[in-house]
Every structure is written in structure tokens, then in C-alpha cells.
């Protein structure tokens, strides 16, 4: 039986600009203000009765925790990276749930919401573990970096002349542990905030799950969840209205519709850099090819119009 428009299951992937904007210090009041602006744009989707899962990034927030680790290491023990991810899942999930619930209550529609601690399973044999590339945390001098390598066996890398940073593996998520719980909640009309920051990375070792020092790409994890719960639409909300070719160049071309094979070809041509649009396109193509359902990429201001096919970029099957 075909779902009505009001019964669509949406996975909305909040980009980093939804929580901490470039140039901000990242105070909790700043984060709340940004979350309020973002949630205001999706309140209409909740009021319309859509089943919804919200995912979010946590890069700046984890970076701040790692700075606190460094500054306070002689006073309190530093926390491992997976625990920092769990901490930010909790704080940001709380902020998103409370903000959106207050908006819905004010509109006379007090839907239930929950923020769920979510773990993403990774394969210990993933090649990413042999080649850590994801920068995290603050910048250090060469001498400080060498000391961190000696003390903690960190992988450190010079970053564009700005100093040395720790780099960690960024493996692909192979499963979301809480997927069945999330699907059950969604089917019962609960709006779920989950897979924050790509999920807390864990691996299965001899029949028990253990935390892993890694950072999972948030868009790939959101896509994995969107497949698992059989989402009708996967929407990646970012800082641009549409996906572009030759972005910020004289011949920039905005794209309304993009077939999966075209997106793959443009990705191979280098149109979508790995540090920005690349992972979003990769996640979009994977979802479209495996589910047959569309992906929307747009900004918050145009998400409702994009879901109606009137704005943003729509990635569709061939």
C-alpha cells in the first residue's frame, strides 16, 4: 500500500552550519540560536505529520572537547575520542529535541521526540585504519606533536602551514546498532534525533562491542540509517541552495536534477571535493542506487520547497 504524502519517512541530515557557524566561538548560546534557526525551517514538516529522523554533525564540538582534554590533562584524565563523540551526541541531541519540541508545543502539536545515543559498527579491517586522514582537535607545534606521538602514539600531520593536528581513521559505517529501535520509534510517530556525528564508532571483538578511536563521516552514517529504516526521502541539509558544477567559478552551473550515474561521473572528475560536497554526493548516490528513492540536497531555507520538487537539487535513479 502506497504511503500518503503526510506519511513519508524522512531522514534529515543537518550539516555543521546548523549548529556552529564559521567564525563563531561555539558557545552553547550560539549553538542554541543556530539550532533554533534550523528547526524553525523544518517545523512545518513535523506539523504535516511526516515521520522524521534528524541526524547532525559534531565536528566543532568534538574539537572543543579535545582542546579541553589538552588544557586539563594535568588536572583530570583526558577522555578517548569515542567518549567525546558520545558526550556531544548527548548535548546536541538534547538541544535539538528541546528546541523542536518547544516549537511544536507552541504550534499546538506536542509530538513526542527523543535523542538516542547511537553506535555505528565499523570493520577493523577497513583500510582507513592503516591510513588515518581525518583531522581532529587543536593545532600544535612540531615539538608538541612529537611529544604527543611519544606519549600516546597519536598520528600527527602538518595541516596547510597552520600547525600540526592529530589525524584519526575515518572508516565506513557497516551497520547502525540501534536501527531497529529507531525504526520502531519512527513507525510510532516519534521524531528521533540519532547518529550524531556519524555515530559512536565501535567494532565487534570476540562477541563484545568496544569503542574505537575514529570519526565516521556523518553523511555516510545518515545514509546507512536511511537505508536501514527504509526512508522515502533522504535530505542532506547544507550551506548551499543547490549542488553546483564549477562551484564559485565564472561558469558555475546550478543543478536541479542529477541522475546517480551523472553524479558518479562528476565526482570522478573532481567536481565535488572530498572536504565539502564529495561525501554528500557519495552518500546520495549510494542511497539512490540501493533504495530507488530520491535524495534532496539543499539549505534549510528551501527544504520544504525542495521536498515538493520546487527547489534544491534532486538526485534520482537512472
Amino acid at each position: 500500500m502506497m504511503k500518503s504524502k503526510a506519511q513519508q519517512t524522512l531522514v534529515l541530515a543537518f550539516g555543521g552550519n546548523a549548529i556552529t557557524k564559521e567564525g563563531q566561538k561555539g558557545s552553547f548560546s550560539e549553538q542554541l540560536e543556530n539550532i533554533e534557526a534550523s528547526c524553525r525551517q523544518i517545523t512545518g514538516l513535523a506539523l504535516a505529520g511526516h515521520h522524521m529522523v534528524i541526524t547532525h554533525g559534531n565536528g566543532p564540538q568534538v574539537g572543543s572537547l579535545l582542546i579541553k582534554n589538552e588544557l586539563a590533562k594535568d588536572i583530570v584524565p583526558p577522555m578517548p575520542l569515542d567518549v567525546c563523540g558520545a558526550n556531544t551526541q548527548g548535548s546536541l541531541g538534547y538541544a535539538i529535541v528541546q528546541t523542536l519540541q518547544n516549537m511544536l508545543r507552541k504550534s499546538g502539536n506536542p509530538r513526542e521526540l527523543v535523542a538516542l545515543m547511537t553506535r555505528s559498527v565499523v570493520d577493523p579491517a577497513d583500510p582507513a585504519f592503516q591510513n588515518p586522514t581525518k583531522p581532529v582537535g587543536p593545532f600544535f607545534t612540531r615539538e608538541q606533536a612529537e611529544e604527543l606521538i611519544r606519549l600516546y602514539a597519536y598520528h600527527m600531520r602538518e595541516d596547510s602551514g597552520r600547525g600540526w593536528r592529530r589525524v584519526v581513521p575515518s572508516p565506513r559505517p557497516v551497520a547502525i546498532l540501534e536501527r531497529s529501535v529507531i525504526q520502531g520509534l519512527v513507525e510510532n510517530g516519534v521524531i528521533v534525533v540519532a547518529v550524531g556525528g556519524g555515530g559512536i564508532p565501535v567494532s565487534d571483538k570476540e562477541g563484545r562491542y568496544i569503542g574505537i578511536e575514529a570519526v565516521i563521516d556523518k553523511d555516510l552514517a545518515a545514509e546507512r540509517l536511511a537505508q536501514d529504516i527504509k526512508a522515502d526521502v533522504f535530505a542532506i541539509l547544507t550551506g548551499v541552495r543547490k549542488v553546483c558544477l564549477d562551484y564559485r567559478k565564472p561558469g558555475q552551473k546550478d543543478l536541479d536534477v542529477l541522475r546517480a550515474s551523472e553524479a558518479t561521473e562528476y565526482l570522478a572528475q573532481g567536481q565535488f571535493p572530498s572536504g565539502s560536497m564529495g561525501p554528500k554526493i557519495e552518500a546520495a548516490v549510494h542511497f539512490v542506487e540501493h533504495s530507488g528513492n530520491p535524495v534532496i540536497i539543499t539549505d534549510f531555507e528551501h527544504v520544504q520547497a525542495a521536498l515538493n520538487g520546487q527547489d534544491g537539487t534532486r538526485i534520482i535513479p537512472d
Side-chain angles (χ1 to χ4, degrees), residues 13-300:
F14 280 28
N17 63 308
I19 299 170
T20 299
K21 296 186 181 297
E22 188 174 350
Q24 291 184 333
K25 291 182 178 180
S27 68
F28 193 65
S29 60
E30 287 176 336
Q31 292 178 35
L32 272 180
E33 185 177 342
N34 296 330
I35 288 170
E36 286 174 2
S38 301
C39 286
R40 201 171 294 119
Q41 301 298 330
I42 65 167
T43 302
L45 301 176
L47 292 173
H50 290 293
H51 293 172
M52 292 166 52
V53 175
I54 297 170
T55 72
H56 62 84
N58 68 348
Q61 292 75 32
V62 167
S64 294
L65 281 183
L66 292 173
I67 292 173
K68 292 176 184 178
N69 270 352
E70 177 61 23
L71 292 174
K73 67 180 184 298
D74 296 327
I75 303 172
V76 293
M79 292 293 106
L81 187 56
D82 55 312
V83 175
C84 290
N87 286 344
T88 57
Q89 270 199 13
S91 61
L92 297 177
Y94 154 66
I96 293 170
V97 162
Q98 185 149 285
T99 299
L100 185 55
Q101 191 159 45
N102 284 340
M103 290 180 177
L104 293 176
R105 289 178 69 191
K106 187 176 180 179
S107 300
N109 188 345
R111 287 184 63 174
E112 289 189 283
L113 292 89
V114 66
L116 192 67
M117 299 300 293
T118 319
R119 295 164 293 167
S120 295
V121 180
V122 299
D123 183 353
D126 191 303
F129 288 107
Q130 304 304 317
N131 181 32
T133 58
K134 182 72 172 177
V136 296
F139 291 92
F140 298 95
T141 65
R142 177 188 288 274
E143 291 74 20
Q144 289 171 324
E146 290 173 349
E147 182 71 359
L148 290 170
I149 293 170
R150 185 183 69 81
L151 291 175
Y152 305 114
Y154 283 175
H155 293 273
M156 306 293 293
R157 184 172 297 174
E158 201 277 332
D159 190 337
S160 306
R162 296 179 293 175
W164 290 71
R165 296 181 77 188
R166 182 184 176 190
V167 290
V168 299
S170 185
R172 296 186 68 91
V174 297
I176 307 300
L177 278 184
E178 290 75 17
R179 59 191 179 277
S180 297
V181 175
I182 295 168
Q183 185 164 17
L185 289 166
V186 169
E187 289 173 353
N188 280 283
V190 179
I191 297 173
V192 182
V193 179
V195 199
I200 304 162
V202 300
S203 68
D204 190 343
K205 185 177 181 180
E206 299 175 354
R208 60 190 294 265
Y209 294 112
I210 60 170
I212 297 292
E213 294 259 347
V215 172
I216 298 172
D217 182 85
K218 65 183 185 303
D219 295 312
L220 297 181
E223 186 276 329
R224 178 68 267 169
L225 179 62
Q227 270 198 72
D228 287 343
I229 68 171
K230 299 177 174 57
D232 298 296
V233 181
F234 176 33
I236 301 175
L237 306 181
T238 185
V240 294
R241 185 172 180 175
K242 296 184 180 184
V243 176
C244 305
L245 299 180
D246 298 320
Y247 181 58
R248 289 183 174 174
K249 296 179 181 178
Q252 176 176 313
K253 179 182 178 183
D254 295 349
L255 301 173
D256 297 322
V257 179
L258 192 57
R259 295 193 177 276
S261 61
E262 295 173 324
T264 301
E265 184 177 342
Y266 289 137
L267 189 62
Q269 293 173 4
Q271 282 283 353
F272 309 124
S274 59
S276 56
M277 190 58 72
K280 296 173 176 55
I281 295 295
E282 184 182 351
V285 169
H286 201 265
F287 180 77
V288 168
E289 290 182 341
H290 287 81
S291 71
N293 292 332
V295 174
I296 300 298
I297 300 180
T298 190
D299 57 19
F300 282 87

